[in-house]
Amino acid sequence: MREHQYTLELPHSAARLWALFQDYDHWADYAPMVKRVDVLWAGDEHHNGRLRRVIYKMPFGREGAALELVHDVEPGVGYTYTMISREPGNDQTGKVRLEPIGSHQTRLHFEERYHLTKAPWRWFEGPIYRFINRQNEASMRAASAWLDGHPEYRADLAA
């Protein structure tokens, strides 16, 4: 099993970041690998139980799809997701947590656990996971840059 955790300080309010992370129509605007997100089941009023399909770019012009269940939502603070695999034991889990550290500063905590059980994928788990980690971190930095370039987006949540 691979585990990756990182923390970034971002120059935006937690509320504004939360709004962007819940706005699936904009994920493809900042996440380098995401093509689109389809909400298959909305979940409750806080998005607990939300089922989403993330369509993402793969090498050589291919595309992949990840089925993700969102749970343990703390509105405005964070959530956990489980990427549901066709193969038992291959589920990937992740957490996003926002910690306000100032009026326009947020510490983002991200963690993900990844485990492949079948050959030949298991043999390449390390390189695959390093690639995914770089993309996840790039997506979070790009979300912040996207907000920098769109000051009108949820300006009501800027402070």
Side-chain angles (χ1 to χ4, degrees), residues 2-141:
R2 305 285 174 152
E3 184 173 323
H4 181 65
Q5 296 180 14
Y6 64 90
T7 301
L8 296 173
E9 290 190 9
L10 303 173
H12 302 284
S13 72
R16 195 162 174 243
L17 286 162
W18 180 261
L20 182 60
F21 293 161
Q22 303 311 306
D23 187 347
Y24 298 129
D25 289 339
H26 283 295
W27 276 29
D29 295 339
Y30 64 84
M33 289 183 58
V34 173
K35 293 181 84 172
R36 75 174 193 275
V37 179
D38 302 327
V39 175
L40 305 176
W41 183 260
D44 70 12
E45 70 274 11
H46 301 296
H47 308 266
N48 274 302
R50 172 166 281 181
L51 189 60
R52 63 189 184 199
R53 180 182 295 122
V54 181
I55 308 299
Y56 55 90
K57 299 173 192 172
M58 292 177 58
F60 309 112
R62 297 176 52 222
E63 73 177 33
L67 193 58
E68 298 179 348
L69 177 65
V70 178
H71 52 94
D72 300 327
V73 177
E74 294 179 59
V77 176
Y79 63 90
T80 301
Y81 63 91
T82 301
M83 185 185 299
I84 303 166
S85 173
R86 288 182 285 214
E87 299 290 331
N90 281 342
D91 295 344
Q92 177 178 334
T93 60
K95 268 187 188 177
V96 175
R97 187 161 197 77
L98 301 172
E99 175 190 352
I101 55 174
S103 63
H104 293 92
Q105 286 287 113
T106 301
R107 188 171 292 125
L108 176 136
H109 302 275
F110 183 90
E111 63 183 68
E112 196 167 68
R113 286 166 189 78
Y114 188 80
H115 184 62
L116 295 174
T117 58
K118 297 245 182 196
W121 305 115
R122 177 133 180 84
W123 304 332
F124 301 105
E125 185 176 46
I128 291 169
Y129 196 59
R130 281 190 294 280
F131 175 78
I132 291 169
N133 292 339
R134 284 192 304 272
Q135 296 304 314
N136 285 335
E137 290 187 30
S139 292
M140 296 306 171
R141 285 186 179 88

Side-chain angles (χ1 to χ4, degrees), residues 138-152:
S139 292
M140 296 306 171
R141 285 186 179 88
S144 180
W146 190 88
L147 287 172
D148 288 342
H150 295 84
E152 75 288 350

